[in-house]
Amino acid sequence: VGSRRSSGDSFGDDDDHGDANAPRGEQHALAPMSLVRPRVPPSTFSLRHWLAARWLELREYARYQPWEVVSSYELAPRSLVFLEKDNLVRMPLVRLVRWNLFEAFMLMAILANCVTLAMDSSRPGFKEMALGVALQRANYVFIGIFTAEATAKIIALGFLFAEHTYLRNGWNILDFIVVIMGFLELTSLGNYTFIRCFRVLRPLRTITKIRALKEIVSALIHSLPMLGDVMILTLFFFSVFGITGLEVFRGKYYYRCASPDFSSSYIESTGGIDYVMNVSYIVDLDNVDQVCKGQRTEDVVWTNVSGSPFTEPFGRPAAQQLNAWGYTCRWQPTDNPVSPNYEHGQFCHYWGNPDIGGYRNWDNILVSWIQVYQHLAVQSWSLVMYDSQASVSWWLWILHVVMVLFGGYLIINLTIAVIFINFNKNYNSSLASSSEASGNAGRSSVLLDGELDSLALETHDVESRVTKQGQPSFTRRSWERLRDYCYVVQASKWFEHTTTAMIVLNALVLALLWYNMPQQLMLATTYMNYFFTMYFFAEMLTKLAGLGPQLYAADKMNWFDALVTIVGVVEFIISVLPSANALGGAMSVFRAFRLLRILRLARSWKSLHRILKVLLGSLQSVSWLTLLLLLFLFIAGLLGMAFFGYKTASCSQVEGAQQLCPPGFMYQECPPVLECYVPCTQAEALTWYAVEGSPYGEQAYCEIFPRTPELGVVPQYWAQVGLPSMIVMNYNNIYQAMLTVFVLLTGDDYDVNMKELMVVAGPWLSALYVIGVMIVGIFMILNLFLALLLSNLDQLDETDVYPTSSEQAQEARHDDDDEGHDHDHASSRDPAGRDGSLYLPKQSQQYAAQNHGDWLGADGRCDDTDSLIGVGTEQDEHTRMIKPSPRAWSPGAVSHSQASEPGLVKTAFYGGTVVPLPPILAVPLNPPDMNKARRRASLTQGHFAWGMEHSRSMMPDGVLPNSQLLQATSLDVPPGPQSPEGQQARLEGNSLFLLSPTNPIRVALYQLVTNKWFDGAMLVVIVAASLALCFDDASAVEGSTKGRVLYILDIVFCALFGIEALLKILAYGLIFNGPHSYMRSGWNLLDLLVVSVQVLVLVLEAVISTDLTWLRAFQAVRALRPIRVAARIEGIRVVVVALGLTLPAVSEVILVASLFYFIFAVLGVELFMGKFFLCSSDGEQLNPYYLVPSGNINRTWCEANDGSQTITSSYYHSQIGVAVPPWTLDTQWGSNGVLNRFDNVIMAIWVLIQMATLENWAEVMYQAMQTTQVNEQPLQGANDSVAIYFVVFIIFCSFFILNLVIGVSIDKFNRLKKARGGRSLLLTDRQQDWLTIQRMMATTKPKARYPVPSNALRRACYHVALSNTFDKAMVLVIIANIVTMCMTHEGMSERWKSSLMIADVVFTGIYVVEMGLKQAALGFKAYFQDAWCIFDFIVVVTSVAGVILDYSTTTDMSVIVLLRVLRVLRIIKLIPKARGLQMLMTTLLWSLPALGNVAAVLLMFMFIYAIIGMNLFGHVKLQEALIFQANFQDFPTAMLLLFRMTTVENWNSVMFDCMQMQDCIFVSTSVQLTQPDGSVATVWEGTYLDSEEDAALIASLPHGVAVNQCSPAPALAAIYFVTYMMFVVYLMVQLVIGIILENIETHARIDNMKVKQQHIQDFLETWEDLDPKGTSYIPVASLTTLLHALETPVGVKGASNVSLRVQAIVQDVNIPIRVSEGVQSVHFMETLHALAGRIAGQSLPAEEEFTIHKRMVARLPKDEFPPKYSVGDFYAALNVKAYIQGFLVRRQLQPIVDDLAEDTDAPSPINVELSKPGALQGSRKLMKQTTSFFTGMFRGNKVGPGVLQDCSADEPISAASSRVLSRSETRQGATLDASSQDAHDITSTMSNHFPECGPVSKTHSFRAADAKSKAGSTVQFADGDEGKS
């Protein structure tokens, strides 16, 4: 028993309170009574010790620091010009401003000012109220405090000019602005509201006082400049799409379908025709939201025919539809009164824009940008798209979808990624510096620790004295025995299991709660909750007694248990008191604590424990960021209060009404939100009169104000017409304002809020405020909050089998150390990295032993490594890869054509040396005759066999290799044809107990079903069946031709798939025939399910003749068939299988997440059960203010008199004693169509899932804020505090839990996808960097430089068109053109139009001139070979055509609009100018392959859901959200609707419409029915009947007339939409985003790599200088020129010892020498790869190396004969020749030197430094003699390429080389002054003697070096261009 421990005693050891040094007898006497309880460890929590520690910390914080400390850092020597450091005035102020308590006081002052700011109000007359006056006085006090602080700091620190002064700190600038604006506010100068807005900056000063907040904000601010490229992309996005919308949709959204009204018309006869004139049009309420295109009313001509108006038929279809032409109104007349085109049809009429404020349009660029921002924020963008389709063309969905993809997904996530990546970097560095600063605690911290140690020792002494008091009493012993028993009980397993069972039962009992629950069951659950409370209380006492207070408190979970239990006991005590019912809502809060008991499952549920641990750890890490988020909400709320406080109400319900505080009343006496009044006349005074729109029965009472006559006051007459309609999201107080800002941060209906503000408070300030709050809040604060919350995600996976990069690298180092293969050891063995032996992979050893046994010894070591791979190969045991040493490969081993084959040895960089590209696959381990076997292995395993072996060896434990990963699932691909042995192994047992494995029929069937042609034929059938499903829409009704054809095809496909299933069953067996049986495969099970259901449906349709609507659910199973395509496409199969394996991995996290949703659901039921029901009239919620004199209305009042109420009073009129004339009102009590209720736990969870998607969640919250009591009417603002429940849920369950599930899913998916796709999971950071560098290199290619024309005119054009100045000028022209294009707007004057047309002509002319200059400069052929030039040509041609058409016709033709739109393409010309943007787009292109696979799977699932939706909801009635533009009636519309749902826009409203069961029986044909009384009644076509209320009428209709358009099953609709949102939207779409973000992180890592993008770009530009023709080759001798021009580390520019570095590089890299145009050259890709690999090269796994190598080898030439020599060989030969020639020179110069020595009396040998200025002066004789000698030497001794080369055999010095060298700042040696005599003599001599070499550059370096020979010195002339010496 003593060894047992509870979950809370992990700190304890065995109990032993005795003194170890005491005698044995004394030890026995002092031994504790307990033998089972553990002793209290010293580390156990002690309240006294904790309080003492806090007191010491507080005392240290309040210490007034001495002058020596405060003046030792960051203090200007002089303040305000004359105050020195030791000035008597300055010294105390310096100590004051650097005193911690001073900062604390200022922080308290700021917080107090925040409280006063929150209490302020924009309510009319607030300043005259007592509170307003008090707040104004408090404002004076705070201004004084802040002024005193600023003054003290200015005197102490100095003002501006010196370092570390006041205004040199950005945070002090903020403080200074606050002070200055405070004084301006007091003076009331300028715009008072604007100046008062600066008061919101005062809360920002809290950042300056809290170091943690300051670090976060500073890191965030420093991250903003990194957004430059993304901001350019955003401006590009807004400009292109804003101008496009402006040109296409300007003025197109104002037309609506209207019916003609002839009440005011007259007839006018002209030419014998009676024309009907003055026809007006009326727009029906059903058509106000529908934009139309035709037939326009201005084109309609009415004539009088036989006394009735008539118009000619319109040339478009008469049916109401949306097609490629646009939306057509129903213009044909009808006599059906139910039809909207009764009786003269409908026509498209210019009516106006009924959107909120009419702001849904593209009439000017600012409003257009609002529409573009809606697409970027993916909110209400579909409404804009539907209007565009209706007004122009249905095909414009392409434009809007592209806007959503580009803006809503790409730009938003780019912004988040860039901010987050840079924020993490800056924040971590800030934390590191802070921790380093805090590490120097000094004397005070040492003193504090000493005092704490003394206190601990004192506590221990006290405890020791208590222990030695002697033998305990009987009571003491009994108590100890009881504690022992309690300890044993609480430590037992059965007690733990019992507690767990009680927790689960308590959760179930809490869930047993629903609306209208039986009272007896309610009472039973109450008693059960009492029992659970008593049990948990007893459990707490048992643990407390058994463990003791200290051990009990040592476990933080026990604290949580105690809190929940104590609250439960308090709730129990209160509930049994007689006055408990009076507490009401307070009891619900107490009962909510019961739910927290569920979290106690974390003791036994490890997954819950880990998630809670991550949650608590994350909350702790983001606590300061949470405070920053609250601060942002507070500041944005204050700003909203200043701008929009009490301005969001209006009296628009009554025409002419206005908000008014009536005359004679003070503002304090009027309500905060002023009521609505309309003026009335003196004749109507004190009477009731009719007022349309009045809530008092369309009547109002006219009053006289002031109500009490006053002398000199003219009476006014006003009638109160109710309360104003107020925007729900208002800013009237700080609580509402912060809540509104939080809703804006979630993006829910932000556009509605913004447009309502634009109507009531002005357009542009409101739009700027809302968009600014969203940008700052969402992109800069909220996403950082969420990202840091999820940063602890790795803690969730305790058994994570995937090691991190650092772990992998560390493991690799250990392995290398164990095997003796570390870099240092390798280099110490041999300079080339060789030890004379080579270990081969196991598979290679086996092959070599079988085929070349003489190669290997007994231990598997190669006896002759040179014969197998080459000299000096070495092996990396960690990566199982063979790596030749730098100089050990044989150049002639293999050509590139051989190297491109898989299965060959891969090499990589090792120890800082590089292996060139050709040897990467240099030596084949498999001979050519193994190719077939290798290809067969690649088909079955996913890639080549050798790489498979290595991928297995590299897989971590627990992760299946690639071949096993696919076999681990049931989704296996049917195998291909096998050998007879393999066939026998697959055919087991008797198929269907009839056919044996050797049966010829079965063998033939097996060969048939495994034949690739059979598989291809079935794939064609699957595609055809899938296409047929697309046409099976709502138009394929029974009896139609389309319906019959589809029915026949359905039978045919069913038969084909049935035959396929039968053949496979006969071949493989059904289920008991081994692992290859038919039903052992998931794909076969899917096929069998689809075929079985299809056969069942066909049989039922043939047998049953009644309505088969319920069969639609079964027909939807056919949509699963396209999944089989995934089995045959590798990329899709990888994603699908990885997704399938991801689901089990995240199921545990989903289950834990469901627990939190359950907790909030039960709490929601407890709070809102039955409270969402209300009393309504005609669908409108009733306000008791207008109905009863006081109080509220309830269900009894609403249902009285069968719902017919007579209203005789109101609250307002009862206050003035006026009776309301009776008026009647029909009322109904119910949910009013609201489905989002909390009436039971199931409904609550369903509502919470919808809210977690952040769509329409605020509507549920605002409805809950009106709740009162059950069966009572909800009231506006009755329960505002419940908003906290919804905000906490959104933060916790939406922001955290939902994103946690998504994050885990994406993480698991990426890991499994990489493993399945042959990607290694074990890449270190350096390996990943090298892989990224190679990917960048693979996309780099040199381009040909344009040659300078010989013609003088063309040469001038060349220099102009290709100059940087011209490019910059064209950028300015394009920007100016964009500005003029943005000036277009609706309603332009003719003068404005003419000005814009002239500007367009000017810009078009400039573009024509630019095109002409470039064509003249480059030539016609070269111009049209450049992609950007072709693009410029297209833009110019379209611009010229547009200008011509603009001036030639006034008709607004479609082609003119198209040409105007194409002018926007001019903006794209800016892309090549933005280098950072180009790099960003290049990085994004890397994600396209992975993105394509995931997008293909996403489209496949959308296709499946579209087919299912068409089968289930294709016939459902169209309603508010399910409209004709968004429905499931046909495939294109369904796909577009599903794409809209992926943006989460209004998806739940569509779901509600698909659950419709009332008024959904459609009458398809008008029918006349005879009534029982003999009368005839007509049931008109288009009428909707209710299946319950109109059951008798429906039964009397003929068969086929009543069409069921109800939902097949509401529960099925809920499952369909919820699964789509959770799986497709929140998994698949997030995977797409995750891939993009992964590549953005890669882009961010590029800046930290050894070889950056800039290095590669510089290499490319330098290479293009040396290779102007773009051949990808340069002469091998130009390699030194290349290295001189490149910055380190790639080249040597800017480095010391340049000559030695160049020699080291050319000898280190192995670049093959190729012959290009007869010249020995090096290739671009090989040179770049070698130079980059020398710096950053790393060993890569075989799969990664093979993947990237394939891309790079494709860029290399296909050699007929492999290269024989390398660059190292070339320069080695040069060195050898230099030594030989030097020897010859010294021998022949010896006599000359001796003579010179005698003439000049100089010592011999002579060491002449020609590099020194003036070194040659006085040595003219030497110059003449050496020149004549070298002349004969060079002319008479023509040697091969090298040091002494005949210039006539080589090319002249190229101008390109001179340009390269001219950029170089460092030369070999020192450069001679071009004006010196020395340079003139040398260059003239060289030019005279070597005319064939051309003029010699004056920048050549010359050096005279000692030849280290007794004979004399050597003089060496080095030509930097060609490398000649």
Side-chain angles (χ1 to χ4, degrees), residues 592-658:
F593 275 87
R594 301 175 186 170
L595 299 169
L596 299 180
R597 294 172 185 166
I598 303 175
L599 298 180
R600 295 183 56 189
L601 293 174
R603 290 188 181 276
S604 55
W605 191 354
K606 298 304 180 184
S607 300
L608 178 60
H609 178 76
R610 291 200 302 271
I611 287 184
L612 287 178
K613 182 180 179 181
V614 171
L615 176 63
L616 295 177
S618 299
L619 291 179
Q620 184 178 2
S621 64
V622 300
S623 57
W624 292 113
L625 195 56
T626 305
L627 181 59
L628 181 63
L629 175 63
L630 293 176
L631 184 62
F632 173 78
L633 294 177
F634 182 76
I635 293 174
L638 288 179
L639 197 61
M641 289 173 59
F643 288 150
F644 315 114
Y646 289 92
K647 296 179 181 178
T648 56
S650 64
C651 300
S652 56
Q653 69 273 17
V654 179
E655 185 178 357
Q658 56 182 298

Side-chain angles (χ1 to χ4, degrees), residues 25 86 187 254 429 497 522 604 609 800 844 847-848 875 953 972 1068 1075 1161 1306 1359 1365 1414 1468 1592 1631 1653 1726:
D86 56 353
T187 59
Y254 294 96
S429 61
H497 295 332
M522 177 81 73
S604 55
H609 178 76
D800 195 358
S844 303
Y847 169 72
Q875 182 185 7
S953 66
D972 284 327
Y1068 292 106
I1306 294 176
H1359 291 304
T1365 304
K1414 286 189 175 181
I1468 302 178
L1631 289 179
Q1653 178 76 26
E1726 290 170 328

Side-chain angles (χ1 to χ4, degrees), residues 1212-1247:
Y1212 177 84
H1213 297 97
S1214 65
Q1215 298 298 313
I1216 60 177
V1218 175
V1220 177
W1223 58 284
T1224 59
L1225 183 68
D1226 294 331
T1227 59
Q1228 303 87 29
W1229 181 267
S1231 63
N1232 198 26
V1234 176
L1235 298 180
N1236 285 333
R1237 306 193 303 271
F1238 293 83
D1239 292 345
N1240 55 65
V1241 174
I1242 302 299
M1243 291 186 67
I1245 293 177
W1246 183 55
V1247 174

Side-chain angles (χ1 to χ4, degrees), residues 1209-1406:
S1209 62
S1210 70
Y1211 176 82
Y1212 177 84
H1213 297 97
S1214 65
Q1215 298 298 313
I1216 60 177
V1218 175
V1220 177
W1223 58 284
T1224 59
L1225 183 68
D1226 294 331
T1227 59
Q1228 303 87 29
W1229 181 267
S1231 63
N1232 198 26
V1234 176
L1235 298 180
N1236 285 333
R1237 306 193 303 271
F1238 293 83
D1239 292 345
N1240 55 65
V1241 174
I1242 302 299
M1243 291 186 67
I1245 293 177
W1246 183 55
V1247 174
L1248 293 178
I1249 290 176
Q1250 297 178 55
M1251 292 176 56
T1253 65
L1254 301 180
E1255 186 65 20
N1256 298 326
W1257 76 271
E1259 182 180 346
V1260 181
M1261 179 185 68
Y1262 285 119
Q1263 188 174 2
M1265 292 169 64
Q1266 300 179 20
T1267 57
T1268 52
Q1269 297 296 328
V1270 177
N1271 293 331
E1272 287 194 7
Q1273 182 76 353
L1275 298 176
Q1276 183 73 31
N1279 199 6
D1280 287 344
S1281 59
V1282 299
I1284 299 175
Y1285 164 83
F1286 294 93
V1287 172
V1288 172
F1289 170 79
I1290 293 298
I1291 292 177
F1292 189 79
C1293 286
S1294 182
F1295 290 166
F1296 181 73
I1297 296 296
L1298 185 59
N1299 285 282
L1300 186 68
V1301 175
I1302 294 171
V1304 172
S1305 303
I1306 294 176
D1307 182 66
K1308 295 292 183 182
F1309 169 81
N1310 287 334
R1311 294 177 184 271
L1312 292 170
K1313 182 172 66 70
K1314 288 181 180 179
R1316 174 64 189 92
R1319 300 290 301 278
S1320 174
L1321 302 177
L1322 302 178
L1323 291 180
T1324 63
D1325 290 339
R1326 292 185 177 182
Q1327 287 176 323
Q1328 185 61 52
D1329 289 347
W1330 175 230
L1331 183 62
T1332 303
I1333 291 170
Q1334 292 189 89
R1335 293 171 67 183
M1336 290 192 297
M1337 292 190 297
T1339 59
T1340 306
K1341 183 179 180 181
K1343 297 180 180 179
R1345 293 291 178 89
Y1346 298 115
V1348 180
S1350 57
N1351 182 275
L1353 179 60
R1354 289 188 58 198
R1355 190 184 311 117
C1357 295
Y1358 179 91
H1359 291 304
V1360 172
L1362 272 64
S1363 64
N1364 292 329
T1365 304
F1366 184 78
D1367 284 344
K1368 294 177 181 178
M1370 290 308 302
V1371 168
L1372 295 177
V1373 169
I1374 294 172
I1375 294 175
N1377 193 6
I1378 294 172
V1379 173
T1380 58
M1381 293 172 70
C1382 292
M1383 292 180 179
T1384 306
H1385 60 273
E1386 178 67 8
M1388 294 183 293
S1389 63
E1390 291 299 325
R1391 185 176 181 181
W1392 189 263
K1393 287 182 181 180
S1394 301
S1395 301
L1396 293 181
M1397 291 179 67
I1398 293 174
D1400 190 31
V1401 171
V1402 172
F1403 287 118
T1404 303
I1406 294 175

Side-chain angles (χ1 to χ4, degrees), residues 1594-1636:
I1594 295 173
S1596 64
L1597 294 176
H1599 177 70
V1601 174
V1603 179
N1604 187 356
Q1605 294 187 359
C1606 301
S1607 173
L1612 196 61
I1615 294 173
Y1616 172 86
F1617 286 96
V1618 170
T1619 55
Y1620 179 82
M1621 294 302 299
M1622 299 306 297
F1623 184 72
V1624 177
V1625 177
Y1626 282 97
L1627 183 59
M1628 294 301 302
V1629 174
Q1630 295 298 328
L1631 289 179
V1632 175
I1633 296 172
I1635 293 173
I1636 296 176

